[in-house]
Amino acid sequence: QVQLVESGGGLVQAGGSLRLSCAASGRTFSSYHMGWFRQAPGKEREFVAGISSSGGSTYYADSMKGRFTISRDNAENTVYLLMNSLKPEDTAIYCCAATRRWASARPADFGSWGQGTQVTVSS
């Protein structure tokens, strides 16, 4: 229902930082709760962070809490994921996703997905 395009991925050394962006189409962006997910080779897709439609509430997986920050700018139809203190185990394809109703942090609860952007953290 909403088109999402991620950008900002790349190669970074362990301990470094990276900011991902997710640009959404249309004026209905502010109606969606947004999430970031990641998937590494051989592993299932996992929840990284989420943010409410207004930006008033944020949610993080335990392993990301304190290192990653999700934010949004509804005027610019964009969601961000700031990743600090990156570790090699953070290497994955990162995707943003949208949902009208927040049910859980499971990928199946999000109906719209971006194409993903690769993040590679070297040791």
Side-chain angles (χ1 to χ4, degrees):
Q1 194 170 18
V2 59
Q3 301 297 314
L4 306 172
V5 180
E6 302 96 333
S7 63
L11 175 64
V12 64
Q13 292 188 356
S17 63
L18 208 59
R19 191 182 77 158
L20 307 182
S21 299
C22 175
S25 63
R27 66 171 66 187
T28 61
F29 174 72
S30 61
S31 298
Y32 289 89
H33 306 288
M34 301 296 298
W36 284 97
F37 295 80
R38 70 185 186 186
Q39 187 168 24
K43 301 183 67 176
E44 293 193 13
R45 184 173 295 173
E46 66 173 336
F47 173 75
V48 175
I51 189 167
S52 61
S53 58
S54 67
S57 299
T58 58
Y59 314 89
Y60 299 92
D62 288 342
S63 61
M64 291 80 172
K65 199 167 188 177
R67 297 191 299 126
F68 292 6
T69 303
I70 187 171
S71 62
R72 67 191 297 161
D73 185 342
N74 285 349
E76 296 295 328
N77 283 11
T78 304
V79 176
Y80 304 95
L81 182 68
L82 176 62
M83 303 181 293
N84 294 320
S85 302
L86 283 165
K87 307 172 182 179
E89 51 262 45
D90 294 320
T91 296
I93 296 176
Y94 285 72
C95 297
C96 65
T99 180
R100 286 281 194 181
R101 280 171 47 89
W102 183 272
S104 75
R106 295 178 301 168
D109 291 329
F110 289 76
S112 299
W113 292 83
Q115 84 287 353
T117 185
Q118 177 71 48
V119 172
T120 303
V121 184
S122 62
S123 60

